[in-house]
Amino acid sequence: MKYIQRIRIEWMMILLAAVFLIQNLILDDRFGFVPVLSISLLAFFGLLVGFLGNTITVAVFSMMVMATGTYLLYYTPIIMPRLEKIYLIIVIPIFAVLGLITKNSVLFNRRSNTFQPRMRHYLTTLDETTGLYNKKEFEARFEKFKCAMNLYEKIGRGLIVSFYTVDYIEQLRYQNDQATDQLLQALAQELSDIRLPEEDQFYLGDGTFVVMSPIYHSGDSLTFIQELNRITKTQFSLFPFKNFERSQNTVIRFGEMAIEGSTELTAEQVISRVRRRSEADLTDEYIL
């Protein structure tokens, strides 16, 4: 049903007109003008019920009409062709269902047209592989958060930007591009599952995931986020890279940067600084 609702209203009108035309041609050839006119009026009544009602209304009304029509046409002495009796019983339910489908299609397309600009904007903020926010959205959200921190300096808000980069992502893609995408998708899903709802997750490309975590100067939010970052890195390292029958461990470079109070750093500067810190983390990783 949900796929039928997506049919454009123009095609639904063409379908209804075609059904009416085919019906009238068949009935006129078999029964004549008066039965055709009567059945067309009943079909129009069915369409009206479908347009004005909902699924429950159409279902209940159709059952009542079919029960009443069966009783009147088969248990009272009315003489008419058998096919005409059957069609008189089912014509209203058929066109009531068609009217309901048409109404739902109109409503669905109206909602789609209303939210289409928002949907288009939302899709431009997502990365195609991971489904997370992309670099452009990271820059926009960082600037928005920075402006808020500069505007309200006394509220004690801060920000932690955390980087998780899959090491040697180019070599992994060279070995198996599809397996690399599957690894990135699994990491993105894990990131969405274990991070906090108030955090934002991004994918900047080249195997780099970013988490933007708001914190307060008072309390243990900074310590908690740092502990959560270590847990995230450990969880990421547990996902192996599977290349056909072989698998290898995934090495994650990690870096974080805490921004407390007002700042003049741009998003590019933050990315550059955290990336350098992740390179230092990579050195520790291989030394250990």
Side-chain angles (χ1 to χ4, degrees):
M1 178 64 70
K2 64 180 181 179
Y3 299 106
I4 298 178
Q5 292 177 356
R6 290 177 169 82
I7 301 176
R8 293 177 60 87
I9 182 60
E10 294 85 355
W11 291 109
M12 292 302 302
M13 292 296 102
I14 293 175
L15 175 62
L16 288 178
V19 172
F20 257 111
L21 178 61
I22 295 173
Q23 167 195 267
N24 292 341
L25 288 176
I26 295 176
L27 294 178
D28 184 65
D29 182 61
R30 287 177 175 267
F31 306 119
F33 175 75
V34 176
V36 170
L37 179 61
S38 303
I39 292 177
S40 297
L41 291 175
L42 292 177
F44 177 77
F45 181 67
L47 284 176
L48 191 62
V49 172
F51 277 122
L52 299 180
N54 52 27
T55 304
I56 297 177
T57 304
V58 170
V60 173
F61 184 79
S62 298
M63 288 188 292
M64 293 176 58
V65 168
M66 293 180 67
T68 304
T70 302
Y71 176 78
L72 293 177
L73 295 178
Y74 280 93
Y75 293 95
T76 56
I78 298 178
I79 301 175
M80 64 173 59
R82 180 182 178 85
L83 291 177
E84 186 177 352
K85 282 187 177 182
I86 295 175
Y87 196 68
L88 281 173
I89 294 173
I90 65 174
V91 63
I92 292 181
I94 288 176
F95 281 91
V97 172
L98 290 176
L100 179 63
I101 293 174
T102 304
K103 185 190 73 171
N104 291 338
S105 177
V106 172
L107 294 178
F108 180 84
N109 284 279
R110 181 184 299 173
R111 288 194 296 266
S112 298
N113 293 334
T114 302
F115 293 103
Q116 190 173 14
R118 298 181 185 179
M119 294 168 57
R120 187 184 301 111
H121 172 73
Y122 176 74
L123 292 176
T124 58
T125 64
L126 300 181
D127 176 74
E128 295 181 0
T129 302
T130 62
L132 300 179
Y133 292 121
N134 54 26
K135 182 178 179 181
K136 183 179 179 181
E137 184 66 12
F138 169 77
E139 295 173 350
R141 297 200 174 204
F142 177 80
E143 290 298 325
K144 182 178 180 179
F145 201 96
K146 183 182 75 173
C147 292
M149 290 193 298
N150 293 345
L151 184 61
Y152 306 104
E153 297 182 3
K154 298 181 180 180
I155 60 175
R157 294 295 302 271
L159 188 68
I160 291 184
V161 180
S162 310
F163 267 48
Y164 305 89
T165 303
V166 180
D167 191 30
Y168 292 118
I169 186 68
E170 296 84 2
Q171 295 185 9
L172 297 182
R173 286 203 174 279
Y174 179 76
Q175 296 179 38
N176 193 327
D177 189 64
Q178 183 178 1
T180 304
D181 287 340
Q182 293 176 354
L183 174 63
L184 294 177
Q185 292 167 2
L187 295 179
Q189 184 62 48
E190 181 71 12
L191 194 65
S192 300
D193 291 340
I194 67 177
R195 300 303 298 205
L196 300 176
E198 62 267 23
E199 296 177 319
D200 290 328
Q201 296 94 35
F202 307 86
Y203 181 72
L204 306 188
D206 298 328
T208 300
F209 297 86
V210 177
V211 179
M212 185 183 296
S213 310
I215 60 172
Y216 287 93
H217 294 173
S218 60
D220 299 328
S221 60
L222 175 60
T223 305
F224 176 76
I225 293 299
Q226 290 176 338
E227 178 64 25
L228 186 57
N229 285 340
R230 287 191 287 271
I231 294 174
T232 303
K233 180 185 177 183
T234 302
Q235 289 295 113
F236 272 23
S237 302
L238 297 178
F239 283 86
F241 172 73
K242 297 180 180 180
N243 183 18
F244 299 107
E245 299 297 330
R246 299 180 303 170
S247 64
Q248 63 188 70
N249 295 331
T250 303
V251 178
I252 303 297
R253 303 199 308 256
F254 169 71
E256 66 180 9
M257 179 178 181
I259 303 173
E260 300 177 316
S262 60
T263 179
E264 296 301 327
L265 292 173
T266 64
E268 286 293 341
Q269 290 173 330
V270 171
I271 292 174
S272 178
R273 292 189 182 188
V274 184
R275 197 181 298 276
R276 288 199 298 269
R277 295 183 183 183
S278 66
E279 294 292 342
D281 177 73
L282 178 62
T283 303
D284 296 339
E285 181 82 28
Y286 283 112
I287 290 177
L288 294 177

